[in-house]
Amino acid sequence: MFGNLVKNIVLSSFAGLLGGVAAGLVECIIRASNLNHFEIDFFSAGIFVYSVLGLLLAVLYSTVILSGMKLFRMKGGIKYIEAVFFAASGTYLVYPAIKADIIPGFFAAESGPVVFVLKMSLLIFALLLILYALFRISARLSAKIGLRWWISGLIIYALMVIPGYTVYYGGESKMASFEDAVDSQESTDKKLPPVIFIIADALRADRLSCYGYNIDTPNIQALADDGVKFELALANCSWTRPSIASFMTSLNPLQHNVRTGNQSINMELTTFAEVMNSGGYFTMGVHNNPHIREMMNFDQGFDYYEYYEPMKLYPYPSDAPILKRQLLMNKIMKRFHSKSQAVFLVYQDASATSRHIINLLDQMSYTNYFLFIHYMDPHAPYYTAPYTGDAIDFDTDLTVENLDVVNGAYDAEIKRVDRGLGMLLEYLKSKGQYGQSLIIFTSDHGEEFYDHQGWGHGKTQYDEVLKIPLIIKFPNNSYEGLADTSLVESVDIAPTVTRYLDVPTPDSWTGKNIISNEETEWSLGETKGAFKKVLSLRSYDEKIHASYKGDHLTGIQYYNLAVDPKEQNDLAENPKYRDRAKELLKLMEEYVNRYTDKSYESGEINLDDETKERLKALGYLE
């Protein structure tokens, strides 16, 4: 008797799997049509994901319902029980897509809760009826050709899933792609030093030992001891994409115009990588941030450029649309992963990234390479130490009372960056490349920890989010141990490197050579949001902030940094400084006009669903 129960649960569960197949196929067709993404690996992956969800739903409910019927000795059972579970699983999975993409107008009209519930019930009933009929018709057709419904269902399932996953797993590997890029590099007799440009995301300058903070970061400290430490380096923006665009184009954000979440680098601009490539370098980049992927044109000029992706919960194409119920699948699959792997589901940490880069460098027989590295640490989420997979919860843990815990987790992230950097530097030394290398270590922006009653970055222009570490180790350790106190900017990195190497530097670049006698008196920064923007103009000892809603000025702040380096005492309305604040506001407007007169249109992009999900995990999107 229990054998029949198990048999019925198994058949009902498989029917639920097939219901997921039907739902997955329908939603894949809808998403592919909307986004013009008719890739076979997407269809196979989408069907696989929904089949697993359909199976899990049916296992749960069939076990409860059929066991309950057995327990209470209910006779007769449910006729065509498999068709019921097929229809129920399929309806649950496909309902959101039908509601949102096929009949949005059906629910769009204003109506009370009673009418809404009636409409929802009508749609659910219609889907149940259609899927029930589909199963019954399919079962009859299967019987006519002498097959049980579950055998024909298994055959159809295999035909839908296997071809796409053959494409998914049979594509060229990242290593093979890298080897092809290396093999295509033209040989050169020119002896060139390796150039390694390293960005650690969201790293405040004042949180490193070489800048006076009480923290054990021996590898960053050693790099500073071997090179030049710049005491006043400023990012031109307080969040990743505009800031790294300035690094790569030597243009202020007001010039390259990559200032919001849907903008990309104009392909007509000349990038750092393109110039290095023309100077005889093999250009390669490995990064961890979805904000600087190929779709935003950050790969421009690179022979090899790789988004070193987070670990996948299950095999699913990176560029494929995300299905409506996929979040449920993600939550389920996370429970099957060890908590110790939590960080790798969000990004590859610095040590993993360095190991990957070392594997790539081992495939090269020459040293004339320009290597761009982006470490995601210490960007949020901040994982606590010792590492267990627990991270600071931005919804509950970001409080003044919890500030020591939050700072401790951030410091732990910085130590992990240091360890990852140490692995890379040790490798370079083992290969005899460290001494001759030109190594730049910096960050794209800082991070706020309630310095001005806020958290994170990308909202303000205070020094905690603009002041970044900058260390340059020159070949043969020239200038070792020096500290430079002049004002330098993100836009200065590329021209400093190219002029040092005597590589032709584009006239369009606005940055200066920071190891020459060129000086920057004022640095203009900008952070632009959907509804407001904040500009800042900073010299060595003065700073003004201007907030705008659209083009309307809503407020200014003025700080005398000589006596108030942490920007705590706003003097804009102080009678003694009011005229000076107005002078600097006028000067800021002159800088804005100067940059906008020589600006470029940015490209426009639509973020794919996978990128949106990864940006959400990093706190960029709600």
Side-chain angles (χ1 to χ4, degrees), residues 12 39 113 124 126 129 142 197 212 231 237 240 278 343 359 380 408 434 458 495 515 560 566 573 606:
S12 298
E39 303 293 335
I124 292 173
L129 193 62
S142 180
F197 178 27
E231 301 279 4
C237 187
T240 298
S278 67
V343 62
N359 288 336
Y434 177 79
I515 57 171
N560 181 355
K566 294 188 177 181
E573 295 302 321
N606 290 314

Side-chain angles (χ1 to χ4, degrees), residues 122-271:
L122 181 61
L123 176 57
I124 292 173
F125 179 75
L127 290 173
L128 284 169
L129 193 62
I130 291 169
L131 289 169
Y132 182 89
L134 175 63
F135 183 90
R136 295 289 297 127
I137 293 169
S138 300
R140 287 183 181 179
L141 291 175
S142 180
K144 284 186 177 182
I145 60 173
L147 293 176
R148 294 180 179 274
W149 65 265
W150 59 268
I151 294 177
S152 56
L154 184 61
I155 293 170
I156 293 171
Y157 180 54
L159 291 175
M160 286 184 170
V161 171
I162 291 174
Y165 275 116
T166 301
V167 172
Y168 179 85
Y169 286 110
E172 185 178 41
S173 69
K174 292 289 179 66
M175 184 60 75
S177 176
F178 178 75
E179 290 171 352
D180 289 344
V182 170
D183 291 342
S184 66
Q185 171 73 358
E186 295 181 7
S187 60
T188 176
D189 296 328
K190 199 173 180 181
K191 185 68 174 175
L192 300 170
V195 178
I196 304 168
F197 178 27
I198 304 166
I199 292 177
D201 205 302
L203 176 59
R204 284 174 65 144
D206 61 1
R207 299 297 278 267
L208 295 174
S209 60
C210 57
Y211 286 91
Y213 187 63
N214 184 21
I215 189 173
D216 185 24
T217 49
N219 298 297
I220 298 174
Q221 181 67 55
L223 190 66
D225 292 341
D226 289 343
V228 182
K229 176 185 63 175
F230 293 85
E231 301 279 4
L232 185 53
L234 299 174
N236 292 111
C237 187
S238 62
W239 68 283
T240 298
R241 197 183 305 171
S243 181
I244 296 186
S246 288
F247 278 120
M248 292 302 182
T249 64
S250 187
L251 295 173
N252 187 277
L254 291 170
Q255 294 178 290
H256 60 61
N257 269 310
V258 184
R259 299 157 66 198
T260 64
N262 65 340
Q263 293 175 320
S264 61
I265 293 177
N266 188 321
M267 294 183 69
E268 294 181 3
L269 296 178
T270 305
T271 67

Side-chain angles (χ1 to χ4, degrees), residues 468-507:
I468 54 177
L470 176 59
I471 299 165
I472 302 181
K473 189 207 80 70
F474 290 91
N476 303 314
N477 292 4
S478 302
Y479 313 110
E480 67 177 312
L482 295 181
D484 189 300
T485 59
S486 60
L487 192 159
V488 300
E489 303 177 274
S490 306
V491 296
D492 299 330
I493 303 301
T496 297
V497 171
T498 56
R499 286 170 182 154
Y500 176 83
L501 297 170
D502 200 25
V503 173
T505 304
D507 294 334

Side-chain angles (χ1 to χ4, degrees), residues 388-457:
T388 60
D390 291 320
I392 296 298
D393 189 324
F394 269 43
D395 293 327
T396 60
D397 293 339
L398 292 185
T399 64
V400 178
E401 295 75 18
N402 206 36
L403 189 56
D404 288 344
V405 175
V406 176
N407 277 319
Y410 181 72
D411 288 350
E413 291 279 336
I414 294 172
K415 291 177 181 179
R416 283 191 276 273
V417 173
D418 187 79
R419 284 196 293 272
L421 175 66
M423 292 172 60
L424 178 66
L425 298 182
E426 189 60 37
Y427 171 82
L428 294 174
K429 290 174 182 177
S430 72
K431 296 295 182 180
Q433 296 180 21
Y434 177 79
Q436 61 182 304
S437 294
L438 173 57
I439 302 174
I440 305 101
F441 179 83
T442 187
S443 181
D444 52 350
H445 54 77
E447 194 84 332
E448 181 180 358
F449 295 98
Y450 214 69
D451 305 69
H452 290 89
Q453 291 70 57
W455 305 91
H457 56 268

